[in-house]
Amino acid sequence: MPVDNSPASSFAPADVDHADLAFVWDRFLKIIREHVKPLPVMTWFEPIRPLSLQNDHLKVQLPNAFFYDWLEEHYNATIQTALTQVLGPTASLTYEIAQPDLFDGFDKHPSVAPSVEPAANEYDHKQLARNIPPSEEPQIDHDELYRASFLNPRYTFDNFIRGDGNQFARAAAMNVANNPGLTSFNPLVIYGGVGLGKTHLLQAIGNASFQNKKATKIIYLSSEMFTVQFVDAIENNKTKEFSDFFRSMDILIIDDIQFLSGKEKTQENFFHTFNTLHQLKKQIVLSSDRAPKEIRGFDERLISRFLWGVTVDIQPPDLETRIAILQMRSDQDNITIPREVVEFVASNIKTNIRELEGCYYTMIARHMLDQRPLDLALAEEALRKVTSSVQKQITVEQIQKIVAEFFNISENLLRAKTRKQEIAFARQIAMYLAKNFTSASLKTIGLHFGGRDHSTVIHACQTISAAQADDPDIKEKIQQIEKQISLTHF
Ligand code: ADP
Ligand code: MG
């Protein structure tokens, strides 16, 4: 997905290096969340792993080729917009594919790999066989298996803070990770509200079991991904491979099963997979946003299966836990935040750890990019943004206001008929920015500028793009305005 030179916004990329990868990625996801609904964000964007950042070149890893196709087909434009907003007009993005195909890891595993070797390899294998004691296990490529698991190494028990609200879920998860499939905690169902650590715990189970070698074949999937793969398998006549694949797992982890609601065929397949794995004493771990019996649109048989094991809930974190989470984040980032600031943020965001982290990253971004001190004023500002502006978009009016202030003219002039050169120029810049920062159509933008038609807006965008390319002075000015917009908006 190469990124074109479509004009866009924001920070000068030069001072962004690998240390900033985390918050560049966080900002990127934030912008994506403004354009894409939560479920697809979770399914298609959260599993992406940012790998590196060099100047304005971002490299990420996708779990498999299927992701690539899907993103390319559905989110290409959105990704480009977000990328240019975060890293500037010359930003580029490359992908690394962790696993060419979902079933690849399956083929590679010794216990299911084809037993007949290609003739060309025969000699080598015999040679090798002579040097290996007969009892030795066949070589397992652990990296390969790990990549095939879709696990994200970021989520561990070590960096999961224990608190009143999550202690039972955490203990159950650790128990399962130590003895996958062998306890009565099968399935383990963890349920609770948004941003409370369900995904973190599910992933931590997979990571810990893989590390302690209690399981080698692990797969973590969102229920949406499970469904998409299932439908894909049906379309490609691969349902047998699909079933065999899942039934060969040591641990099957499916996140947010509430999204399987109403999907009868997928549920039916899941039901059979569940039974087989359970009989084989293989571990199943699930999460949901509510207690299993409260999920609507679910096959009763499936619900009753969930109750075979253990269901634990996660409650919102208490103040100490919230403080500890912020403290841990800042320690990891090697940043010292005054205690009163940490306490202020932690006492104001009570029910969603993702928001808590969002606030933290907003503060850090401003601190690093604007050299703002990490004080209460900054915390208050970040908090306002995070709590009031979840999903809030900047409007054409706000852009007009910022541009008018920048050029020290009245906002009304931007909407008036006047053709005075400086005014016309400011107006064109405002149109251009409105196009880049809002999802308003050309027509709507034109209406905001005194009822001009869409071709005027196109002309403005072209003029400003060209002017930026020709004149460093203009480019600089626009970057300053864009920075202003980002800060107001962010
Ligand atoms: P959920 O899946 O319940 O919506 P997540 O697992 O995605 O929530 O958690 C949201 C964010 O909060 C993640 O970045 C996660 O790492 C972090 N988080 C949640 N609980 C904890 C915790 N107890 N300790 C540290 N980080 C946590
Ligand atoms: Mg989750």
Side-chain angles (χ1 to χ4, degrees), residues 42 46 155 193-200 202 220 255-256 287 354:
M42 218 147 63
E46 288 182 4
Y155 299 108
V194 178
L196 295 186
K198 300 184 297 295
T199 297
H200 191 132
L202 259 57
Y220 165 89
D255 208 351
D256 292 305
S287 82
R354 197 171 297 139

Side-chain angles (χ1 to χ4, degrees), residues 178-242:
N178 285 325
N179 297 293
L182 301 176
T183 66
S184 56
F185 293 29
N186 199 14
L188 173 64
V189 185
I190 297 177
Y191 75 93
V194 178
L196 295 186
K198 300 184 297 295
T199 297
H200 191 132
L201 278 180
L202 259 57
Q203 291 255 4
I205 293 174
N207 281 318
S209 306
F210 196 82
Q211 290 252 303
N212 66 23
K213 301 200 166 44
K214 294 286 168 72
T216 47
K217 285 185 291 173
I218 304 172
I219 189 142
Y220 165 89
L221 287 179
S222 66
S223 59
E224 177 78 353
M225 190 68 191
F226 183 81
T227 308
V228 168
Q229 292 287 353
F230 178 59
V231 172
D232 194 54
I234 293 178
E235 280 171 6
N236 294 301
N237 281 329
K238 277 188 162 185
T239 44
K240 175 151 182 355
E241 283 91 337
F242 179 86

Side-chain angles (χ1 to χ4, degrees), residues 449-460:
F449 286 87
R452 289 170 160 87
D453 76 17
H454 78 280
S455 62
T456 311
V457 183
I458 295 178
H459 179 69

Side-chain angles (χ1 to χ4, degrees), residues 326-342:
L326 286 174
Q327 208 73 63
M328 181 185 67
R329 283 273 173 273
S330 58
D331 287 351
Q332 283 170 345
D333 294 343
N334 252 325
I335 288 171
T336 311
I337 305 182
R339 181 74 186 177
E340 84 237 31
V341 175
V342 171

Side-chain angles (χ1 to χ4, degrees), residues 275-331:
N275 288 340
T276 312
L277 287 174
H278 200 270
Q279 268 164 20
L280 293 169
K281 293 204 181 309
K282 300 302 179 70
Q283 182 69 44
I284 299 151
V285 183
L286 309 168
S287 82
S288 163
D289 68 344
R290 65 202 77 178
K293 56 180 183 301
E294 280 163 23
I295 309 177
R296 301 249 170 83
F298 247 72
D299 186 343
E300 279 304 318
R301 297 180 304 169
L302 209 42
I303 301 284
S304 74
R305 290 296 187 274
F306 296 160
L307 302 177
W308 281 358
V310 164
T311 300
V312 275
D313 67 332
I314 300 194
Q315 293 295 325
D318 54 24
L319 180 65
E320 284 71 39
T321 312
R322 300 192 307 263
I323 291 176
I325 289 172
L326 286 174
Q327 208 73 63
M328 181 185 67
R329 283 273 173 273
S330 58
D331 287 351

